[in-house]
Amino acid sequence: AAGEYLYYLNEQFPKANLTGYDVVPELLEKAKQYVPSANFLPGSVLDSKIMSEDSADIITLLGVHGIFDDFSAILDNLLYWCKPKGTILIFGAFNPYLVDVFVQYRNIESADATREVGWNMFSKEGVSNMLENKMGSNAFEFIPFELSFDLEPTSDDPLRTWTFKDEDGTKRFTNGLSIIVNLYYLKIEV
């Protein structure tokens, strides 16, 4: 959220031209300090004008798509921006069942206790259908995210994801919304 991923990429690929976008000015300023060699610009994935057509070799969207209600708008822009033979990598929660899930929540300890969003989960099947219609079935794959260590719940942030083992001993992700969070990488080869 504040440049950590681009910091990592910059360490791994110091000659890469890296650009990050966010709609929160404070996060952009923090990111600029954290990774001064990268470009950080104001912008939303919903605004097709933030980048030119066919202008990026690799595009990542990490943990963001769940705040939106329309996956097709996001997908259209990512495909518009990505160069032919480029790669789009989307990370976050997708529903393995045939249901798009739209979540609103309210933290009762919050001062204003307003309803918030951010944990929507689009059906893998629905997203697959969109991609097959646009690109064919061999152009993408969902890769389950696995973690080799455990994450503990944090009392100061009940929405931060943690791990637990289910009755079969399988490691699962959840949060203070009591939602099982099925995390995937969606890799799209343009």
Side-chain angles (χ1 to χ4, degrees):
E4 291 92 347
Y5 182 65
L6 289 188
Y7 177 84
Y8 171 78
L9 288 179
N10 190 55
E11 292 290 310
Q12 301 301 310
F13 308 100
K15 294 181 181 178
N17 180 12
L18 303 172
T19 302
Y21 293 90
D22 205 303
V23 296
V24 180
E26 295 82 14
L27 292 177
L28 288 170
E29 288 306 314
K30 188 174 178 182
K32 287 176 185 177
Q33 294 172 5
Y34 198 52
V35 193
S37 61
N39 301 307
F40 292 96
L41 303 168
S44 166
V45 69
L46 296 177
D47 180 3
S48 65
K49 295 176 184 162
I50 64 170
M51 293 174 61
S52 301
E53 183 176 9
D54 299 336
S55 61
D57 295 307
I58 301 171
I59 298 175
T60 59
L61 187 72
L62 308 176
V64 174
H65 67 274
I67 65 175
F68 301 108
D69 290 342
D70 181 6
F71 192 82
S72 64
I74 298 166
L75 182 60
D76 287 345
N77 285 341
L78 296 174
L79 292 171
Y80 176 76
W81 297 324
C82 194
K83 290 180 181 178
K85 308 273 189 217
T87 301
I88 298 168
L89 186 64
I90 301 171
F91 174 76
F94 289 93
N95 190 359
Y97 301 99
L98 301 176
V99 177
D100 288 335
V101 178
F102 301 94
V103 176
Q104 289 187 356
Y105 63 91
R106 177 176 47 226
N107 186 336
I108 63 169
E109 292 184 336
S110 174
D112 61 4
T114 59
R115 290 185 185 186
E116 298 185 50
V117 297
W119 286 93
N120 293 343
M121 290 174 275
F122 298 99
S123 162
K124 284 175 52 184
E125 185 72 20
V127 171
S128 295
N129 290 340
M130 280 184 230
L131 284 163
E132 286 174 9
N133 288 334
K134 292 178 184 296
M135 313 177 67
S137 60
N138 294 327
F140 66 93
E141 67 177 314
F142 284 92
I143 304 164
F145 176 72
E146 297 177 2
L147 200 59
S148 61
F149 54 90
D150 293 332
L151 296 174
E152 298 296 324
T154 58
S155 58
D156 61 327
D157 185 0
L159 298 180
R160 183 169 292 283
T161 304
W162 67 84
T163 56
F164 72 97
K165 290 198 175 164
D166 68 12
E167 61 275 359
D168 297 328
T170 303
K171 187 180 292 186
R172 302 282 184 196
F173 296 90
T174 191
N175 57 32
L177 301 175
S178 293
I179 293 174
I180 302 296
V181 182
N182 296 290
L183 296 171
Y184 295 89
Y185 294 102
L186 171 55
K187 183 179 179 183
I188 305 168
E189 299 292 343
V190 178

